[in-house]
Amino acid sequence: MKDLTIILFERLGLLLVIAFVMTRTPGFKSLLYREYSIRMSLVHAFVFGVFGIASTVTGIIITEEAEIIHGFVIFPVDSNQLIVSSSLVAIVIAGLLGGPIVGLVAGLIAGVHLMFLGGIGGLANGLVNPLTGLLAGLTARFFSNERVISPLKALFIGVFPPVLQMQLLLILYTDGGEMVHIVDKIGLPLVLSNSIAIAIFTAMIGIVMREQENEAALATRQALTIAEEALPFLKKDSSKEVANGLATLLYDRLKLAAVSITNRNEVLAHKGLGDKHHQAGDPITAPIMKKAIESKEMQVTYVKADIQCHHEKCPLEAAIIIPIMESDEVTSVITFYFRKPQHISPVELMMAEGLGHFISNQLNVMTTEIMKAHIRDAELRNLQAQINPHFLFNTLQLIAALFREDPQNARHITLQLASYMRFNLRLVSKSLVELEKECEHVQAYTSIIQARFQGRLHINFKKPDDVSHTYIPPATIQPLIENSVQHGLKDVSDEAKVEIKIERVDGIITVSVRDNGCGFPTHILPLVSHKPLVDNQNGGIGLYNVNQRLIRLIGESARLHICNLPNGGSEVSFSIPISNYTRSEVVG
Amino acid sequence: MNLTYFLFFICIIVCTLIITYWAAKRSNTTNRFYVASGSLTGFQNGMAIAGDFISAASFLGIVGMIAINGYDGFLYSIGFLVSYLVVLYLVAEPVHRLGKYSLGDVICSRFPSNKMRWIMAFGAFAISILYMIPQLVASGFLLRLLLNIDYSISVIIIGGLMTIYVVFGGMVATSWVQIVKTVVLMSGTFLLSLIVFSNFNWNVPSLVERVKELTPLGDAFFLPGHLFGNPIEFFSLQLALVLGTAGLPHILMRLFTVRNTLEVRRSLISSTWIIGLFYLMTLVLGLGTVALLGYQTLIANDPTGNLAAPLLAKEVGGDFLLAFVSAIAFTTIVAVVAGLVISATTAFSHDIFHHILKRGKSTEKEQLRAARWTALGIGLISTLFALRLETINVTFLVSMTFIVAAASNFPILVLTIYWKRFTQMGAITGMVSGLVASLLLVILGPHIMNPDGGWIAREAIIPIQNPGIIAIPIGFLGAYLGTIFSKKQRQSNEEFKRFFIQSQTGIASRRGEP
């Protein structure tokens, strides 16, 4: 019995080696991963059936006199010989993995082969295979909700097929006591070897499955990380920066041969292999890239010719080209380069596709956000540009009065009003103006106001000599002065003072407007710039609007600071950095 | 003990321990521990019920009984089967709807009081322990016969295993051990029957002829009258078997392990089929034993006939098959005792500890800890008992268990569910009188009072082996009288209507205690 056990283990070891090699092939892995379909089930059943046949071939023959014949079982055996085959291992696995039908079909294949080989137990051997397959399938369905049964459970389940086989032998061959002897002899070795082999086989399959799942989990995590890390780059303003950042990120994360990012016409960034001759600014030549831009669909090339690099020794031979869409237009293209075509795996393809969609979506979302901000800004500017009719009316009346007394001054005020109104007209079309222009606007306004409140109001406007290269949302200072005049000086009869100060310290321009009036009522002080204060007439809305525009166009650092001064009056101030915007954007 | 036996036993032990390990990771709530959170399907539960019910005494004992006594042996098993109809039609669905974990829950849903709970818990506890000890003792003998290992070692092995299953795996492990047992037992017996048939070339008449040749009973083998001379004894035994099952806490507990009443019905129907088919196969095995071994060989090996099935296996399949059948018997034993441990555990830790001692306020964690400790304690105590009782004949305890269940639990259960005027007093008196009556009758009966070899060596006062026919009516009578004399406690029509609707439909309108 010991000898037989050892021989059976040796034979099964051989089979397990083959099985191990099989599980390493990509074909087998895909076999495990596909969804169930009739075709796949048949392939499964066939593979395991053939494996069962192989187990039979590597089995041994035992004679009625309990003599063991070594050597492969290839031809039909004599009528007094019994084939001891381990085909049940493969059949059980088929049933456990693929369900009752797969088990049954695999068992039929192995069983028919055994019946064809004949011998003393031919019928029982032939019957036990399909039966085992069926039962193993049912068992898997009954016992377990995991995809691959655990090796220990398989070990237990694996005990029963050989027992069944022995019992079938006993049922079908009752003449004389020989069968009882044979069963005694082969029963335990078969139970031992088969159950252990089944457990090992299941463990092997479990490992393959786990590997695949880990791979998938890793890929998913990587994709999510990239998506997260790409966000800050996408928010950058210049397309060069976006391209460089993204290229570096993708190159680092995905371990590609190279990554390039192009717009519709030229390369914006290239990172990785071949950056000597693939450089930013090169025009797009590869036909496949043009195809991607035109078709708006991801392209994959496995041929070097498609990349059409002018450089002869270019190491890049395969590529995935991902068009990035912004509002239904391809605005840029990301290309993953590979050294060898076989480096492109389904994981890379899925990743590329997902990233393409993700970036396109993000860009679209961002465009919408920017658009929204612009619309809002335009609305605010429009509001600002509407000259308060009271102001216009009062100014005109003032001019009418001055005509008699002081025509010179009347002329001056008229010119100031014209300048003021011209600025307001321009306001609608621009989101930022030079500080100089803004100062002129302030000057015009203060002149008019001062003339109007002659003797009662003193306006002091201080600014540094050089205020060039600083840009500011237009008409931001004027509403502050208006606020001071209207609300701050309400109850002050003489010696009302408004002080406008523009200071320049360490590259930061600070604008402050002070008055010596009654200040803000304490209960609205914290709210003034955060909420439109409707009941407070224009001033409340004015400050709110200014604050919103400052924050939106320059940033949180430019927010309005409002406080009441200790010896009466209030101060409203904000600060902006110098030359934070290039000229082109101001114009645009 | 040779290598084949040893490996099969190891395999069974390892497998059940794997199941326990797997279950232990999931038994982290009381709901999981006591009733596997109702997660079993009807069919699985049916298999578990069969696994709970078919004891080693059934598998080995009835095969031997048929081989020795012929027709009467088979008739003996009929009672086990028919009892499921009582469970199915009378109590199954109401019990599932009313109870949560234990029989005490069911009765207390109509009569919520600590006194009631005490009595129900005590009843369940007593029945489970009474049933477990003879099972353990018998299994000790069996293992000794099968494996040739010492009695105390076999008892310790089985006692240890059952304790481990329940302590770590709770109901989940117990259920799956029982399911595995049913699968193995059914397939093993089925194949063994096929082997028997094939030995007679599938020719049943020739099998029957051969049986008649080899049994000393001759033609009378297939006629009644060898085991039960007295029709009253027979009737009494069958009455206890038929009604007793509906009062066995470890069977009724299995009605909580499924999701809904449809699954309850399904589990009872499938378990009835499994048990019925099983007893049919024991018939084949019994006949096969006589036909292939002959009466003399069987008696020579073991006069009780318990070794009929293993001997048959050895005859037709050699050591290999014998090892397999012994492994089946072993699984059978552990599955049944595990079921008993968990029912005793529930009675103690859920009813007594949680509801009475802690007034239903213990936390999930405390309850679980209590349940595990209880299981450990019960396992230890019953193993110790079984070790001490080696030399004493305890087989009468099995029939006594059924009588106690039929005379105390069953009347209370049925009357609680169906009798409008039933009162708590009636329930208590019924329970107590049934319990006391069956104990007294057994003590005064020939099991204990026996001139040759009884504990009390004198003529039995009540000369009836199976006192069910007296004890069961006493149980009902006690319940009736208790009700009649306790008018003040009677529930209003409204209350009973609410309870009845809940028990029949599961629609609860009662507030508070379920």
Side-chain angles (χ1 to χ4, degrees), chain A residues 156 166-167 170-171 174 184 187, chain B residues 15 191 195 198 319-321:
Chain A
F156 178 69
M166 294 305 104
Q167 287 177 324
L170 288 170
I171 290 173
T174 47
D184 265 351
Chain B
C15 157
L191 289 167
I195 296 174
S198 86
D319 271 347
F320 181 78
L321 205 56

Side-chain angles (χ1 to χ4, degrees), chain B residues 12-24:
Chain B
I12 295 286
I13 292 174
V14 168
C15 157
T16 49
L17 288 180
I18 291 167
I19 291 176
T20 311
Y21 172 72
W22 166 81

Side-chain angles (χ1 to χ4, degrees), chain B residues 218-241:
Chain B
D219 278 356
F221 186 84
F222 293 99
L223 296 174
H226 308 296
L227 189 57
F228 312 108
N230 186 347
I232 293 178
E233 284 280 3
F234 176 66
F235 182 73
S236 176
L237 171 75
Q238 294 295 5
L239 195 66
L241 291 185

Side-chain angles (χ1 to χ4, degrees), chain B residues 97 500-508:
Chain B
R97 291 193 188 104
F500 194 69
I501 287 171
Q502 193 195 345
S503 75
Q504 297 301 316
T505 62
I507 301 166

Side-chain angles (χ1 to χ4, degrees), chain A residues 1 142-143 152-153 155-156 159-160 162-164 166-168 170-172 174 180 183-184 187-188 191-192, chain B residues 3-4 7-8 11 15 18 43-44 47 176 179-180 184 191 194-195 198-199 202 316-321 324:
Chain A
M1 189 149 72
F142 182 84
F143 271 111
L152 280 174
K153 278 187 205 164
L155 180 72
F156 178 69
V159 170
F160 293 97
V163 173
L164 182 69
M166 294 305 104
Q167 287 177 324
L168 278 182
L170 288 170
I171 290 173
L172 293 174
T174 47
V180 174
V183 164
D184 265 351
L188 193 64
V191 168
L192 272 180
Chain B
L3 185 69
T4 320
L7 283 173
F8 269 109
C11 171
C15 157
I18 291 167
F43 185 59
Q44 287 170 344
M47 292 172 93
W176 283 99
I179 290 171
V180 167
V184 174
L191 289 167
L194 287 188
I195 296 174
S198 86
N199 268 287
W202 309 95
V316 296
D319 271 347
F320 181 78
L321 205 56
F324 183 61

Side-chain angles (χ1 to χ4, degrees), chain B residues 282-514:
Chain B
T282 56
L283 178 64
V284 178
L285 296 190
L287 296 182
T289 314
V290 181
L292 289 167
L293 267 87
Y295 179 77
Q296 294 308 328
T297 332
L298 177 62
I299 292 295
N301 271 292
D302 177 34
T304 57
N306 272 340
L307 284 185
L311 286 173
L312 174 69
K314 188 168 167 92
E315 174 67 24
V316 296
D319 271 347
F320 181 78
L321 205 56
L322 171 58
F324 183 61
V325 167
S326 308
I328 292 176
F330 179 69
T331 334
T332 302
I333 294 165
V334 288
V336 173
V337 286
L340 290 165
V341 173
I342 195 150
S343 84
T345 304
T346 310
F348 188 83
S349 66
H350 176 66
D351 283 335
I352 296 179
F353 174 79
H354 175 61
H355 276 286
I356 298 174
L357 297 183
K358 293 277 174 178
R359 299 176 194 288
K361 281 185 193 120
S362 53
T363 63
E364 191 91 335
K365 234 181 174 175
E366 282 173 344
Q367 287 183 56
L368 258 184
R369 203 182 314 132
R372 290 189 205 278
W373 280 109
T374 313
L376 185 65
I378 288 168
L380 274 180
I381 290 169
S382 39
T383 310
L384 285 179
F385 264 112
L387 281 176
R388 299 284 302 161
L389 292 173
E390 180 187 356
T391 52
I392 295 162
N393 180 9
V394 286
T395 44
F396 71 91
L397 282 178
V398 176
S399 66
M400 200 179 92
T401 313
F402 275 88
I403 292 165
V404 171
S408 57
N409 270 351
F410 177 71
I412 306 305
L413 206 53
V414 169
L415 292 177
T416 304
I417 295 170
Y418 295 104
W419 194 24
K420 195 165 71 181
R421 293 165 57 198
F422 200 41
T423 63
Q424 183 177 330
M425 203 30 157
I428 293 172
T429 51
M431 191 78 197
V432 173
S433 56
L435 209 62
V436 172
S438 26
L439 286 176
L440 266 182
L441 286 167
V442 171
I443 291 170
L444 300 178
H447 284 297
I448 290 185
M449 294 184 96
N450 201 332
D452 30 283
W455 286 358
I456 304 168
R458 49 175 292 193
E459 206 57 42
I461 294 172
I462 296 152
I464 185 165
Q465 293 267 359
N466 300 290
I469 198 164
I470 307 169
I472 297 167
I474 289 178
F476 274 100
L477 195 68
Y480 177 74
L481 291 177
T483 305
I484 293 296
F485 291 112
S486 65
K487 288 201 159 85
K488 59 174 186 213
Q489 285 183 338
R490 190 167 301 160
Q491 288 171 308
S492 68
N493 257 353
E494 274 305 299
E495 259 178 287
F496 177 73
K497 222 179 256 169
R498 254 186 256 140
F499 169 83
F500 194 69
I501 287 171
Q502 193 195 345
S503 75
Q504 297 301 316
T505 62
I507 301 166
S509 52
R510 175 191 288 250
R511 279 163 185 277
E513 185 94 0

Side-chain angles (χ1 to χ4, degrees), chain B residues 28-72:
Chain B
N28 41 12
T29 65
T30 44
N31 195 19
R32 275 228 159 243
F33 186 88
Y34 290 135
V35 294
S37 14
S39 59
L40 297 185
T41 66
F43 185 59
Q44 287 170 344
N45 198 40
M47 292 172 93
I49 291 178
D52 224 345
F53 194 66
I54 303 172
S55 58
S58 298
F59 175 46
L60 301 173
I62 287 182
V63 173
M65 218 181 269
I66 292 171
I68 293 173
N69 297 308
Y71 178 76
D72 277 359

